[in-house]
Amino acid sequence: QVQLVESGGGLVQAGGSLRLSCAASGGTFVTYAMAWFRQAPGKERVFVAAIRWSGGGSTTYADSVKGRFTISRDNAKNTVYLQMNSLEPEDTAVYTCARDSVPWNSGPYYWGYWGQGTQVTVSS
């Protein structure tokens, strides 16, 4: 059974930084792409960043976070991270990690597993 548990959210002032963690269990972590999504109040959940399985490790980002956020993974700890710098009030949202359903995936992602999310609030 796949479980994803996020941590690291909180309240931060604009311009500050936070690092989110997502610990995964179940399945072979190294073979799956991982991602972060976010959902602001009253809005739909949107993609933030993704990182391919270990062999490639390539990353993609939403335009709104490029240059400010960095996704990374530690396969020894079965954990994916989201380092968020230069935070803005518009980054306030519940951040959720997701795991691809397809191992060794080099094509489109299939986000079949989701965590519960962690709240990030950025004050102005």
Side-chain angles (χ1 to χ4, degrees), residues 25-44:
S25 60
T28 305
F29 179 78
V30 69
T31 65
Y32 293 96
M34 300 293 296
W36 288 95
F37 289 75
R38 69 185 182 185
Q39 185 169 19
K43 297 185 178 180
E44 294 185 351

Side-chain angles (χ1 to χ4, degrees), residues 75-104:
N75 293 323
K77 295 182 178 180
N78 287 1
T79 300
V80 63
Y81 303 98
L82 185 68
Q83 178 66 45
M84 306 185 295
N85 298 328
S86 301
L87 283 161
E88 303 167 353
E90 293 73 23
D91 296 316
T92 294
V94 174
Y95 285 72
T96 304
C97 70
R99 201 205 80 175
D100 200 349
S101 297
V102 180
W104 311 112

Side-chain angles (χ1 to χ4, degrees), residues 8-77:
L11 174 64
V12 64
Q13 289 187 332
S17 299
L18 281 176
R19 188 177 81 154
L20 306 183
S21 301
C22 173
S25 60
T28 305
F29 179 78
V30 69
T31 65
Y32 293 96
M34 300 293 296
W36 288 95
F37 289 75
R38 69 185 182 185
Q39 185 169 19
K43 297 185 178 180
E44 294 185 351
R45 183 167 58 192
V46 297
F47 170 79
V48 174
I51 184 166
R52 288 280 183 189
W53 55 272
S54 179
S58 64
T59 56
T60 55
Y61 297 91
D63 288 344
S64 59
V65 305
K66 281 181 181 177
R68 301 188 299 122
F69 291 11
T70 303
I71 188 171
S72 62
R73 62 191 298 159
D74 185 336
N75 293 323
K77 295 182 178 180

